[in-house]
Amino acid sequence: MSTKIFKHIQTSVVPLPIENIDTDQIIPARFLKATTREGFGNNLFRDWRFDENDNPKQDFVLNNPNYSGKILVAGKNFGCGSSREHAAWAIADYGFDAVVSSFFADIFKGNALNNGLLPVQVSDEFLKKIFDAVFEDEHAVVEIDLVDQFIKIVATGETESFEVNPYKKACMTNGYDDIDYILSKKELIAEFETSK
Amino acid sequence: MGQTLFDKIWDAHVVSSNEGFPDILYIDTHFIHEVTSPQAFDGLRARGLPVFRPKQTVATADHNVPTWNQHLPIKEELSRYQVDMLTKNCAEFGIELYGLGHPFQGIVHVIGPELGITRPGGTYVCGDSHTSTHGAFGAIAFGIGTSQVEQVMATQCLLQQRPKRMKIEVNGQLQKGVGAKDIILYIISKTSAAGGTGYAVEYSGDTIRSLSMEGRMTICNMSIEMGARCGLIAPDETTINYVKGREFAPKGEEWDKAVAYWQTLYSDEDADFDAVLYFNAEDIEPMITYGTNPGMGIGVTQHVPETLSFEEKEQGSYKKALAYMGLHDDEQLLGKPIDYVFIGSCTNSRIEDLRQVAEFVKGKHKADNVTVWVVPGSKQVQEQAIREGLDKIFDAAGFPLREPGCSACLGMNEDKIPAGKYCVSTSNRNFEGRQGPNSRTFLASPLTAAASAITGKVTDIREFLKEAELVS
Ligand code: SF4
């Protein structure tokens, strides 16, 4: 089965300069009762975005009409906590194609990559530059190129390269899927089982 | 060069290793539950694939289930639907389900070990980050996302990059009243919530060795709270004695063969770790968290840190956490009135935890301002507690023993801590809203939680123990 293809994007960004954003904030547990992958975007950052009466909290960035774009930029250790893939689904379903942070939790990173959502890890300094750029001009545009593995703040031209596992890069740029890959090695699995 | 315990187990499970690709790792047992599996089953159906090894897949219902009147239909419609869906999927794909009403039902990380499914040298995964618990047996065990749940269902394998290895050694004598939960909260307070990211952590040292299996599970359980991929402890006599005779443990000749293999599972003297940390058991106080991630912990007598003690770029996040918790710089938690006490979760809901709490609360009664929930980790733990008469002790103390499930650890069922209320909790996460929207969590050990329930405020268990000594 193929997954979403990602090669290159250039868009404005949504800044969320908070550290250690855990997956319970991204999608609270009470919204994990759905049995399909769709619709989680409505509850993305639910308790930061809406108050107890479901009214939008004006001071939260997703409710600020000045900020939009396909890249979410967040503080370090993004996606820590629960392994719920619903967090990656919610971010992608909301309309983001990439998340930029100076550090990602392991499981979140894997989940994002399995859903065509690109986690881009940058240095602390570069992260600060992006925040500075977007707080200076909320329409500041950032370019992410997966093929050549760089991220660029378009207005200033500042660029940093980022790492990505070569296998995962191939999957994302071609829309391959892990299960197809493992199934292509099925005879090795059978061999392993008999040798045990 | 010698090998680490982690590498020995990993190497024994590599199906295929190709330059530039993650390894294909064979999974011995895949645990599944109702929340992170439905989309994976749908994926299989869309691909027209069966579950490749249904006999190596074990299912239970835990995250959503009520902890009162489990014999009645689940009231909450969406929860009921999710649990029903699991039942249907397991029947369709030929998977054994320990659902509600089954004598083996319980929190997935409690039942695997207690049924003898989790064993030294194995590989275990589950769509739940606290799968690291099973590493206490000297196994590789970690949490995965739903796409990977589908992957393991389809192939009994997982594509995985080999993590780096970290050793955390704890040596020395623990103070009275300090236990496994305090050790791990202490370690995480030192490493931070991200300090273990990218690592498989092996815990060693004489303090760790002296812990029971329950204590070791508490430690490995919270490995994920420092970001680690998994945690593990080399098997020894304690491990072997725990596994022996359990429902699905090997028997007879198989047992002898298994034990002989398990005895080879340790890190060689000259094994190379990418990072090594040492801690002294004597330095560890009863711990409590004050913030909104498990790395924000202090000794129970210490004060909440000052905002200015953090780097400038971290101050915003820190202030946000304190505001959420309703605390201020330099505040002391000791003596702070609380509203709820939750004793449960895959971190601390095993029979030993309940025995320890029961022994302490015997003849005491909870404070009027506190609501206490004791939620056993499994049906077997619940029955054992009743056999030992612990339920009577709990009842007399105002600590009703409920039925097994995840409960207020994540508040997916009706066990939610109300907005603004403080809960001393034996679970593993204090994230914003984790125990219910706007709830405030202080993570602590079962003894600290029990003592706080008795006094109605955050309490140093050592004070109680001192008094007890004076009396006796
Ligand atoms: S008790 Fe809590 S941490 Fe453990 S499996 Fe359940 S929800 Fe996850």
Side-chain angles (χ1 to χ4, degrees):
Chain A
M1 290 223 309
S2 63
T3 52
K4 199 172 127 195
I5 292 183
F6 185 115
K7 286 184 176 161
H8 175 265
I9 52 172
Q10 183 161 336
T11 104
S12 53
V13 307
V14 176
L16 198 51
I18 299 169
E19 302 191 334
N20 298 309
I21 295 178
D22 59 78
T23 52
D24 274 83
Q25 306 321 310
I26 300 172
I27 182 88
R30 60 187 191 282
F31 300 111
L32 305 185
K33 299 187 188 191
T35 53
T36 61
R37 289 175 184 239
E38 290 78 39
F40 288 102
N42 294 333
N43 294 315
L44 174 65
F45 293 117
R46 179 76 198 195
D47 294 336
W48 287 354
R49 213 166 129 199
F50 300 99
D51 66 16
E52 310 81 74
N53 307 315
D54 291 337
N55 297 315
K57 293 187 186 174
Q58 290 317 325
D59 56 350
F60 187 62
V61 67
L62 292 189
N63 296 322
N64 184 337
N66 295 333
Y67 295 106
S68 65
K70 300 207 152 290
I71 301 173
L72 178 67
V73 184
K76 80 161 187 252
N77 200 23
F78 185 83
C80 57
S82 152
S83 61
R84 59 188 71 161
E85 193 162 314
H86 312 64
W89 298 336
I91 296 172
D93 188 57
Y94 184 86
F96 290 111
D97 288 337
V99 185
V100 177
S101 175
S102 55
F103 197 82
F104 286 95
D106 246 9
I107 306 182
F108 175 82
K109 197 194 235 173
N111 287 340
L113 288 165
N114 282 337
N115 285 278
L117 175 71
L118 183 69
V120 177
Q121 186 161 327
V122 297
S123 64
D124 281 329
E125 298 72 44
F126 198 79
L127 186 69
K128 184 164 183 304
K129 282 182 191 160
I130 304 178
F131 283 134
D132 288 349
V134 65
F135 289 129
E136 165 108 18
D137 168 13
E138 56 234 5
H139 303 296
V141 169
V142 169
E143 179 186 357
I144 295 174
D145 190 299
L146 176 56
V147 179
D148 290 326
Q149 293 179 227
F150 70 81
I151 174 167
K152 179 170 166 185
I153 303 168
V154 172
T156 61
E158 280 163 303
T159 303
E160 192 170 90
S161 61
F162 62 86
E163 287 192 25
V164 56
N165 176 284
Y167 164 75
K168 274 292 160 197
K169 176 175 167 180
C171 286
M172 278 190 89
T173 50
N174 295 294
Y176 298 158
D177 161 289
D178 285 353
I179 297 185
D180 296 335
Y181 172 68
I182 305 181
L183 286 177
S184 73
K185 309 264 176 194
K186 215 160 174 183
E187 62 314 335
L188 293 178
I189 304 175
E191 253 171 55
F192 178 87
E193 286 183 328
T194 42
S195 74
K196 266 216 310 180
Chain B
M1 174 65 73
Q3 269 194 309
T4 66
L5 168 63
F6 178 83
D7 289 296
K8 288 182 184 177
I9 305 171
W10 184 280
D11 288 347
H13 288 83
V14 171
V15 170
S16 152
S17 182
N18 288 306
E19 187 67 32
F21 287 83
D23 287 350
I24 299 182
L25 194 70
Y26 192 81
I27 302 304
D28 290 324
T29 301
H30 184 196
F31 294 101
I32 63 170
H33 62 84
E34 76 275 20
V35 178
T36 55
S37 66
Q39 295 87 350
F41 281 112
D42 278 348
L44 286 189
R45 275 188 280 264
R47 292 172 198 264
L49 290 173
V51 169
F52 184 57
R53 292 290 177 252
K55 295 251 160 342
Q56 285 163 255
T57 314
V58 176
T60 190
D62 55 2
H63 282 63
N64 262 304
V65 301
T67 56
W68 226 213
N69 290 328
Q70 282 186 348
H71 60 287
L72 299 178
I74 300 178
K75 278 201 219 116
E76 223 265 341
E77 192 189 338
L78 290 174
S79 296
R80 189 174 64 241
Y81 184 69
Q82 218 171 34
V83 171
D84 288 349
M85 189 77 122
L86 179 69
T87 312
K88 258 180 47 200
N89 283 329
C90 287
E92 181 182 335
F93 288 90
I95 294 168
E96 180 93 53
L97 167 66
Y98 303 137
L100 276 188
H102 194 286
F104 295 163
Q105 182 266 338
I107 305 175
V108 59
H109 312 309
V110 175
I111 68 168
E114 83 184 356
L115 290 170
I117 297 172
T118 308
R119 299 171 209 161
T123 48
Y124 305 94
V125 294
C126 175
D128 185 285
S129 57
H130 293 99
T131 310
S132 57
T133 312
H134 306 254
F137 290 79
I140 295 182
F142 50 87
I144 55 178
T146 297
S147 296
Q148 294 170 309
V149 170
E150 185 183 335
Q151 203 179 111
V152 179
M153 284 177 176
T155 66
Q156 202 59 34
C157 291
L158 196 66
L159 268 183
Q160 274 292 304
Q161 202 75 32
R162 190 189 292 247
K164 293 179 284 184
R165 304 74 161 166
M166 179 187 287
K167 179 163 81 167
I168 294 184
E169 218 181 286
V170 188
N171 290 299
Q173 183 73 38
L174 288 171
Q175 298 175 39
K176 260 216 163 104
V178 175
K181 182 65 165 289
D182 302 298
I183 300 177
I184 190 65
L185 284 173
Y186 179 81
I187 292 173
I188 301 168
S189 77
K190 298 294 175 194
T191 61
S192 89
T197 306
Y199 289 97
V201 176
E202 180 178 345
Y203 302 94
S204 62
D206 56 39
T207 316
I208 302 289
R209 283 273 143 252
S210 71
L211 296 174
S212 66
M213 281 320 293
E214 280 88 347
R216 296 179 190 186
M217 285 189 256
T218 300
I219 302 253
C220 288
N221 173 275
M222 290 193 71
S223 303
I224 181 69
E225 306 311 335
M226 58 175 132
R229 198 82 194 86
C230 62
L232 68 173
I233 295 172
D236 57 13
E237 280 305 298
T238 307
T239 323
I240 294 169
N241 291 336
Y242 181 97
V243 179
K244 193 168 187 179
R246 291 189 181 260
E247 186 78 22
F248 298 109
K251 311 263 147 60
E253 224 175 277
E254 287 291 308
W255 171 258
D256 297 334
K257 250 175 61 190
V259 171
Y261 173 57
W262 298 347
Q263 281 163 343
T264 67
L265 297 174
Y266 49 83
S267 288
D268 298 326
E269 290 277 338
D270 56 346
D272 201 16
F273 288 89
D274 301 284
V276 184
L277 300 177
Y278 296 96
F279 296 103
N280 277 326
E282 287 86 359
D283 297 341
I284 307 175
E285 272 197 275
M287 294 290 293
I288 192 151
T289 65
Y290 58 87
T292 54
N293 74 58
M296 302 172 84
I298 48 177
V300 69
T301 60
Q302 292 170 354
H303 292 224
V304 170
E306 307 255 4
T307 305
L308 288 177
S309 67
F310 292 89
E311 274 182 56
E312 202 187 324
K313 67 176 167 56
E314 291 174 357
Q315 290 178 7
S317 301
Y318 183 68
K319 276 196 223 153
K320 183 174 186 300
L322 282 199
Y324 180 86
M325 292 299 294
L327 299 173
H328 55 79
D329 274 16
D330 199 36
E331 185 166 345
Q332 191 172 27
L333 294 189
L334 203 59
K336 188 164 181 77
I338 57 162
D339 310 290
Y340 283 78
V341 164
F342 171 58
I343 294 170
S345 91
C346 56
T347 315
N348 285 118
S349 63
R350 298 181 179 81
I351 190 67
E352 186 177 279
D353 300 309
L354 300 196
R355 281 184 193 136
Q356 193 186 34
V357 170
E359 193 193 349
F360 172 76
V361 302
K362 195 169 185 171
K364 303 187 180 72
H365 197 271
K366 74 168 184 76
D368 290 341
N369 58 313
V370 181
T371 303
V372 186
W373 294 332
V374 182
V375 182
S378 71
K379 204 73 203 163
Q380 294 205 70
V381 170
Q382 183 194 357
E383 307 261 283
Q384 176 78 25
I386 293 171
R387 269 200 302 279
E388 295 179 16
L390 307 186
D391 56 328
K392 306 235 164 50
I393 300 175
F394 286 137
D395 271 340
F399 284 45
L401 179 66
R402 301 174 75 94
E403 291 172 282
C406 294
S407 179
C409 173
L410 89 168
M412 265 189 97
N413 69 352
E414 43 285 88
D415 307 344
K416 292 181 177 62
I417 307 302
K421 299 293 181 193
Y422 287 105
C423 177
V424 177
S425 177
T426 68
S427 56
N428 42 53
R429 287 189 172 140
N430 50 358
F431 298 150
E432 287 186 30
R434 172 77 180 184
Q435 299 195 283
N438 289 309
S439 59
R440 293 161 163 170
T441 305
F442 296 136
L443 298 176
S445 73
L447 273 180
T448 296
S452 303
I454 301 298
T455 60
K457 45 197 190 209
V458 174
T459 298
D460 185 346
I461 175 72
R462 292 170 299 185
E463 295 300 320
F464 267 103
L465 299 177
K466 255 190 248 158
E467 268 171 41
E469 261 168 32
L470 289 181
V471 174
S472 62

